[in-house]
Amino acid sequence: MGIKLATGITPIREVFKIDDGTQVTVRGWVYRRRDLGEKIFIVVRDSTGIIQTVFNHPMTLKAKKVGIESSVIISGIVRSDKRAPGGKEITADYIEVIGKSEAFPITKDASREFLLDIRHLSIRSRRLTTIFKIRDTIFKAVHDFFRKNGYYEVHCPMFITAAVEGGATLFEVKYVDGSTVYLTQSSQFYLEALIYSLEKVYTIAPSFRAEKSRTRRHLTEFWHAEAELAWSGLNDIMKVEEELITYIVNKTLEENYEELKFLGRNINALENVYPPFYRISYDEALNILEESGYKVPWGEDFGADEERVLTKQFDKPVFIYNFPEKAKAFYHKNNPNRPEVTLSADLLAPEGYGEIIGGGERIEKERDLIAKIKRFGLKPEDYQWYIDLRKYGSVPHAGFGLGMDRLVMWITGIDHIIDTIPFPRTIRRVYP
Ligand code: ATP
Ligand code: MG
């Protein structure tokens, strides 16, 4: 039998579809190396997959010096072998080292802290690579969803002059003219300004919050998908949120089934995500918590612990609506039938994950907005342009903010937000 040539470079994933006896060339990085004297096994990875290559004498002489994470080009003949990962391997007859790698610092017993210190290298791990592939699908799905549904994508400033979500988590920046400005906590106010011309808008951008407490679900710089709709109310946006999350989860199941399996994700839990999601009021949530031994005073927001207890009891996402006025930011419209609560809703991911979306109806009347700003001890002059929007053709409107990193955390089923993003920024870490 003669040798067949697959010309050029073959992506590693494709090698598994190629007939035995074909000559192929792959390129990538050395993932693992095992020396058995007369044989050397080099496992190579590229962005599409990993494959085992086998070096027999005299090729072993060349393979011997190749360190972990060297970049290599390897040619050889495809062969089926049950013992090889994925059932195929390449019997190598050529290797070229493009970039050598001596003493790659990551070993099996590396600590979590050390891996974070050398994140520029540890992002090459199979686990992180798998998570980032799913993250990519999730971001694409958000854009797809909004475009399919007639939203305009817009871009808002990151330098701002007043708090959206309260002063405690603002980052100060010294601006070019010497004045103090802040990094944005949310693009919401700018999206609200844009609905008067574009009606349905969305953006995906970083939001910055100087979160003081260490938790598994807070970054100081996170990715925020926000949408705002003119002529709409709380029920309208809850429906949009439900459809959006369902769309994203389905896309991920379609595109990343293998990756989810690799991460050990419970697939059934994701397949169960379809409308309608559960809807419970804040007061009902308090009752459920009390039955579970958690006493939250009426008016307080829920923390991670409460949300974990709550969402363990649900097998799909759950909305909590009618939050008390003081538990939510000032821009939320109060419920006309029950003024002590707001027309707001958080969407909590099940299985203990907790809040992934905060949203609600906004105050559309100038008078009501000014009164509430004062009630919150804030200064109307700090929100002048935002108040101004209520003077020129104001309309009922609503919107929401989805924490993309938290969404990735839940969909991938991982236990810490740090691993949802390549270079996490947290209370303790801004390097590398
Ligand atoms: P939490 O109570 O969990 O801090 P929040 O009420 O401050 O959340 P919102 O202001 O409603 O959150 O922001 C909208 C969404 O942005 C949240 O539902 C969450 O998914 C995400 N989010 C908020 N803060 C962070 C953060 N520090 N890191 C990652 N995601 C965040
Ligand atoms: Mg917060």
Side-chain angles (χ1 to χ4, degrees), residues 129-410:
T129 304
T130 304
I131 294 168
F132 301 153
K133 285 181 181 176
I134 297 172
R135 183 181 173 100
D136 168 69
T137 303
I138 292 172
F139 273 69
K140 276 187 197 143
V142 173
H143 286 295
D144 273 6
F145 176 87
F146 282 124
R147 295 205 171 129
K148 279 189 180 148
N149 287 285
Y151 289 73
Y152 289 97
E153 182 181 0
V154 296
H155 303 99
C156 304
M158 301 289 106
F159 291 131
I160 54 151
T161 55
V164 183
E165 295 295 329
T169 63
L170 269 182
F171 275 108
E172 275 187 23
V173 179
K174 189 165 167 246
Y175 204 58
V176 265
D177 62 359
S179 64
T180 298
V181 298
Y182 308 100
L183 293 179
T184 194
Q185 299 162 309
S186 156
S187 298
Q188 180 193 320
F189 289 0
Y190 295 92
L191 294 182
E192 286 190 57
L194 283 156
I195 59 161
Y196 295 97
S197 48
L198 297 170
E199 297 193 30
K200 293 164 83 171
V201 293
Y202 84 98
T203 194
I204 308 183
S207 281
F208 304 87
R209 299 190 188 179
E211 305 283 0
K212 303 292 185 320
S213 54
R214 257 187 254 163
T215 74
R216 293 169 171 270
R217 56 180 208 168
H218 286 94
L219 296 167
T220 49
E221 176 182 328
F222 68 97
W223 283 80
H224 209 172
E226 295 179 86
E228 200 69 33
L229 277 87
W231 315 105
S232 69
L234 178 62
N235 287 324
D236 303 307
I237 54 141
M238 285 166 77
K239 197 155 166 289
V240 175
E241 291 171 33
E242 200 167 65
E243 286 168 0
L244 170 66
I245 297 300
T246 303
Y247 184 85
I248 298 167
V249 169
N250 281 337
K251 268 278 174 235
T252 312
L253 284 167
E254 250 170 69
E255 313 255 321
N256 298 108
Y257 192 83
E258 289 308 315
E259 283 82 7
L260 291 167
K261 277 287 201 208
F262 174 82
L263 294 172
R265 183 67 172 102
N266 174 353
I267 302 284
N268 289 341
L270 293 179
E271 283 172 344
N272 202 35
V273 178
Y274 51 83
F277 295 170
Y278 298 104
R279 287 164 162 73
I280 59 170
S281 69
Y282 173 86
D283 293 358
E284 285 170 303
L286 281 195
N287 287 337
I288 297 176
L289 281 170
E290 192 162 353
E291 282 162 20
S292 312
Y294 282 76
K295 218 165 162 49
V296 180
W298 194 91
E300 298 290 310
D301 200 357
F302 305 126
D305 286 345
E306 286 87 23
E307 290 181 10
R308 183 162 31 74
V309 170
L310 262 177
T311 62
K312 283 212 160 156
Q313 316 198 5
F314 292 93
D315 58 3
K316 59 166 108 170
V318 53
F319 284 108
I320 303 183
Y321 62 91
N322 269 353
F323 275 89
E325 173 178 281
K326 79 171 230 228
K328 289 283 157 199
F330 71 84
Y331 50 73
H332 285 102
K333 184 169 167 175
N334 291 44
N335 188 334
N337 303 320
R338 207 185 145 198
E340 72 278 17
V341 302
T342 53
L343 294 173
S344 61
D346 282 357
L347 181 65
L348 276 52
E351 305 167 79
Y353 280 91
E355 181 181 339
I356 53 172
I357 298 183
E361 213 166 307
R362 323 302 191 189
I363 299 174
E364 85 260 25
K365 290 210 169 71
E366 183 190 7
R367 182 174 17 104
D368 296 347
L369 183 57
I370 292 174
K372 193 156 173 185
I373 288 174
K374 288 185 176 158
R375 223 162 43 243
F376 271 56
L378 301 166
K379 291 191 256 154
E381 53 279 23
D382 286 343
Y383 298 95
Q384 216 167 359
W385 73 257
Y386 184 65
I387 295 168
D388 213 31
L389 293 173
R390 275 73 189 161
K391 291 185 190 158
Y392 308 99
S394 188
V395 289
H397 62 286
F400 62 88
L402 160 64
M404 292 296 288
D405 319 278
R406 287 213 192 150
L407 179 65
V408 173
M409 186 177 162
W410 164 57

